[in-house]
Amino acid sequence: DTGVSQNPRHKITKRGQNVTFRCDPISEHNRLYWYRQTLGQGPEFLTYFQNEAQLEKSRLLSDRFSAERPKGSFSTLEIQRTEQGDSAMYLCASSLGQGTSLPYEQYFGPGTRLTVT
Amino acid sequence: KNQVEQSPQSLIILEGKNCTLQCNYTVSPFSNLRWYKQDTGRGPVSLTIMTFSENTKSNGRYTATLDADTKQSSLHITASQLSDSASYICVVSDFSGGYNKLIFGAGTRLAVHP
């Protein structure tokens, strides 16, 4: 399967614990995006990488959240001291991109469903 | 504030019938508009992408229209099938940051009944 993969698919954790999610993008894609989706809503942008550089972070990404893409390939999203409000689906997407407005397709992974109890 | 609004919130139709979903947006600057299909518990899958110069685009039984002047789009589904049951999300791209930043609507939840 050459699509975007995410692990784990489901994570249940207790409030206050740290969690880390992984995203493996399509191999030739230089751009990687993280989104958060709560029930009944569309995804909301969290952060964006071009290669290994994190170029934009949403105000939704509090200081408890950190994302990395160390070698410009896979990415991790860590949430520290989880809160019940962090319960959501965390989606990763990847795309090509060359700094033009051409509408490169963003391909989404299956998501990681986080439940904080 | 950049916003994408969709209607209706949910829709039930019988298999074989057609339906049209609506999208209004206030995103500026506008780069392109996309429709995604999202099955429950899965990531969104792209159906169509339209730039401001395109008025209509089809993908099989899905036809999207765009009126960039009124900032409205629609997605028409023809001869619906049970597998069309999903959320359909309108997404508008803002290129102000030098990349296509996607702004998602809340989606229309479509249920196709036999």
Side-chain angles (χ1 to χ4, degrees):
Chain A
D1 187 348
T2 57
V4 178
S5 61
Q6 293 186 245
N7 287 288
R9 293 293 310 279
H10 304 274
K11 179 71 176 178
I12 300 173
T13 191
K14 293 184 178 179
R15 187 165 51 94
Q17 298 295 304
N18 299 342
V19 293
T20 300
F21 310 141
R22 177 177 170 127
C23 171
D24 287 89
I26 293 172
S27 58
E28 63 268 26
H29 286 180
N30 58 332
R31 293 182 171 178
L32 186 146
Y33 314 80
W34 285 98
Y35 297 89
R36 181 172 72 185
Q37 184 176 26
T38 53
L39 205 60
Q41 299 299 312
E44 293 176 291
F45 170 80
L46 290 179
T47 190
Y48 149 66
F49 289 86
Q50 177 150 316
N51 300 311
E52 66 276 8
Q54 187 175 20
L55 298 186
E56 183 170 350
K57 293 193 293 185
S58 163
R59 57 180 171 75
L60 293 175
L61 215 65
S62 75
D63 55 6
R64 296 186 297 106
F65 288 70
S66 63
E68 294 182 344
R69 194 183 184 197
K71 297 181 180 178
S73 55
F74 73 92
S75 175
T76 57
L77 177 68
E78 181 183 16
I79 308 174
Q80 296 183 327
R81 305 182 302 281
T82 53
E83 300 173 356
Q84 287 189 320
D86 297 332
S87 296
M89 173 81 89
Y90 290 84
L91 291 162
C92 173
S94 70
S95 76
L96 295 169
Q98 294 179 348
T100 71
S101 62
L102 286 175
Y104 289 103
E105 187 63 74
Q106 284 192 25
Y107 295 88
F108 284 81
T112 294
R113 167 79 62 192
L114 173 66
T115 302
V116 182
T117 62
Chain B
K1 180 182 176 183
N2 287 335
Q3 283 189 311
V4 179
E5 295 182 350
Q6 293 187 243
S7 61
Q9 265 191 329
S10 61
L11 183 62
I12 299 174
I13 61 173
L14 293 177
E15 186 179 13
K17 297 298 185 183
N18 304 336
C19 66
T20 300
L21 315 180
Q22 302 292 342
C23 173
N24 298 308
Y25 62 92
T26 58
V27 176
S28 180
F30 170 84
S31 176
N32 55 77
L33 186 144
R34 311 168 187 224
W35 282 92
Y36 280 84
K37 177 185 180 185
Q38 186 175 25
D39 293 315
T40 302
R42 307 292 297 178
V45 174
S46 178
L47 296 175
T48 64
I49 301 177
M50 290 182 291
T51 63
F52 66 90
S53 61
E54 296 176 290
N55 299 119
T56 186
K57 183 165 276 190
S58 292
N59 177 2
R61 294 179 297 102
Y62 302 103
T63 299
T65 66
L66 172 63
D67 185 333
D69 291 330
T70 61
K71 299 187 178 180
Q72 295 180 323
S73 175
S74 67
L75 180 71
H76 185 75
I77 305 175
T78 303
S80 60
Q81 301 176 357
L82 298 178
S83 59
D84 292 333
S85 295
S87 284
Y88 291 84
I89 307 177
C90 177
V91 186
V92 179
S93 176
D94 158 12
F95 196 72
S96 61
Y99 69 99
N100 281 294
K101 182 175 181 178
L102 302 187
I103 299 166
F104 291 75
T108 292
R109 186 175 301 275
L110 175 66
V112 181
H113 289 182

